[in-house]
Structure formats: C-alpha cells, structure tokens
Amino acid sequence: MNELESLLDSNKRWAKRVASDNPEFFSKLSRQQSPDYLWIGCSDSRVPANQIIDLPPGEVFVHRNIANVVVHTDLNCLSVVQYAVEVLKVKHIIVCGHYGCGGVQAAMENKEHGLIDNWLRHIRDVYRYYRTEIDACANEGDKLDRLCEKNVVEQVLNVCSSTVVQNAWRSGQPLSVHGWIYSVQDGLLCDLDVVMASLKDFETANQ
Ligand code: CO
C-alpha cells in the first residue's frame, strides 16, 4: 500500500467534514480569498500558521522559510509580500519566530551545515548586532531564546524596509507589521511589541 494513501484518505474525511459543517464553505472559498493577515514564519513543522491562530483556510496568507528570515533581495518572500499587500490588501503582516528554533541555533554554532550556512548567515548578522546583550545571558538556552526574539525584531524591520511596504504607507494604505514569538512548549504566542504602522514608526525605530 502506498505510504501516502493515509494522507489522501485523511483529506477525503476532512473535506467531507468541512462540507457537512458548512455546505457553502468550498464554493465560497473557490470564488475568492480575502485574508486580512500575512504570516511570515519558520518552516518548522511544529509552528503551523493557521492552526496556532485557529483560523480556517482563506483567512491567512502564508510565507514560511527556515528561521523566518526576510532577506532584502529574496524575490520569493518579496513577491509574497507584494501580492499580499497590493492585491489582497492585507491589513497586518505578522513575522512569527519561535523559541528553540533549529535554524537560529545552527546560526549560533561554529559548525558547518552545508549550503544552509549561507542562509543562516543573515541570522549571524543579527547575533552580531546584539552580541553584547545576547552574550550577557546566563546560559546557552537563554542566549538562543534572546536571539530568536532579536531575529524577529530584525525581520520586522526588513519587512518595513521593503519598497512594497514603504509604498503602501506612502499611499496611505492601512498596514501594520508585527513581531510575535511562539513557544512550542505551551502553544502560546507572545507579542514582542514591535508594531510598525507608518513610515514614521519605522524611521523612529531605525534611529
Ligand atoms: Co524554526
């Protein structure tokens, strides 16, 4: 038996259950999506966007990569941001990191991991910006947690630096960018309180 057959069976059961709870669900959703949120998170299987904010399909536009990094020249991520902001007109962009992130941990280590080290280099840069504060932490676990938080803050700033977000603010489009962190240990999200809702907020944060 095909190993993936159970997934296809699960899908059939899920689609049937959703349709029986709400017969209009799929026909409505097939006509359009109008999510208010763009989620930029880590690829980690324990941090599934829709599930942890308890939203059904159609409510959140999602981009995930290793360690929720927003690189200034990453056309994949920037295209997602552009589509979300300019076409879907999302009102909020949430950058969500998580404690114990393997990508962030690998970036802190002086070990070779292959190709991915080039990606993780961006997080090493974050470590460099906050080195004094991070190295002052009592133990390795606290250091990792702090870097996971700082990485979210920096990625929020990177989202805000994009021409897409800056142009949206210039044209008066309501759009705010938030930084959250998730704990895989208790399933809870924490708002890191780095909300940017205008060019002025962003300029103040960059001073
Ligand atoms: Co992660």
Side-chain angles (χ1 to χ4, degrees):
M1 180 170 135
N2 184 331
E3 267 181 58
L4 298 187
E5 221 157 274
S6 67
L7 299 184
L8 297 171
D9 288 344
S10 298
N11 165 257
K12 285 194 193 87
R13 282 194 299 275
W14 170 78
K16 205 172 160 188
R17 193 171 64 239
V18 172
S20 78
D21 290 349
N22 180 356
E24 299 288 296
F25 186 83
F26 291 112
S27 58
K28 254 194 201 162
L29 212 53
S30 65
R31 285 193 290 274
Q32 63 158 6
Q33 60 167 339
S34 56
D36 285 336
Y37 315 100
L38 164 62
W39 175 280
I40 299 175
C42 182
S43 297
D44 193 306
S45 63
R46 299 165 298 176
V47 196
N50 284 70
Q51 265 166 298
I52 63 181
I53 46 177
D54 204 13
L55 284 179
E59 302 288 323
V60 55
F61 202 63
V62 174
H63 178 77
R64 289 167 69 183
N65 61 38
I66 290 175
N68 43 273
V69 179
V70 178
V71 177
H72 297 305
T73 53
D74 176 4
L75 289 179
N76 182 351
C77 181
L78 292 176
S79 302
V80 171
V81 173
Q82 181 184 14
Y83 189 77
V85 171
E86 293 181 6
V87 181
L88 298 173
K89 306 251 186 269
V90 297
K91 295 184 178 68
H92 304 275
I93 299 176
I94 299 155
V95 176
C96 185
H98 66 103
Y99 291 119
C101 181
V104 175
Q105 182 160 23
M108 282 180 91
E109 295 166 355
N110 282 320
K111 259 197 331 204
E112 277 193 38
H113 307 89
L115 175 75
I116 196 175
D117 287 327
N118 298 286
W119 182 254
L120 299 177
R121 197 75 229 172
H122 296 288
I123 305 169
R124 272 206 88 82
D125 290 343
V126 177
Y127 183 33
R128 204 175 68 237
Y129 306 151
Y130 296 95
R131 187 156 212 148
T132 316
E133 189 179 336
I134 290 168
D135 285 350
C137 291
N139 55 58
E140 291 305 307
D142 286 358
K143 273 189 196 177
L144 174 59
D145 286 353
R146 200 64 61 241
L147 184 54
C148 289
E149 291 169 355
K150 297 301 183 191
N151 183 45
V152 170
V153 174
E154 285 302 309
Q155 306 316 325
V156 164
L157 294 174
N158 287 351
V159 172
C160 298
S161 317
S162 68
T163 51
V164 177
V165 170
Q166 301 226 337
N167 288 341
W169 282 336
R170 266 189 212 105
S171 69
Q173 187 178 332
L175 176 68
S176 52
V177 186
H178 311 255
W180 290 359
I181 195 153
Y182 177 75
S183 167
V184 288
Q185 284 178 344
D186 60 14
L188 294 175
L189 284 164
C190 174
D191 186 346
L192 291 173
D193 217 14
V194 279
V195 190
M196 310 269 162
S198 64
L199 274 177
K200 196 162 171 273
D201 287 349
F202 176 60
E203 279 155 14
T204 309
N206 264 329
Q207 270 165 10

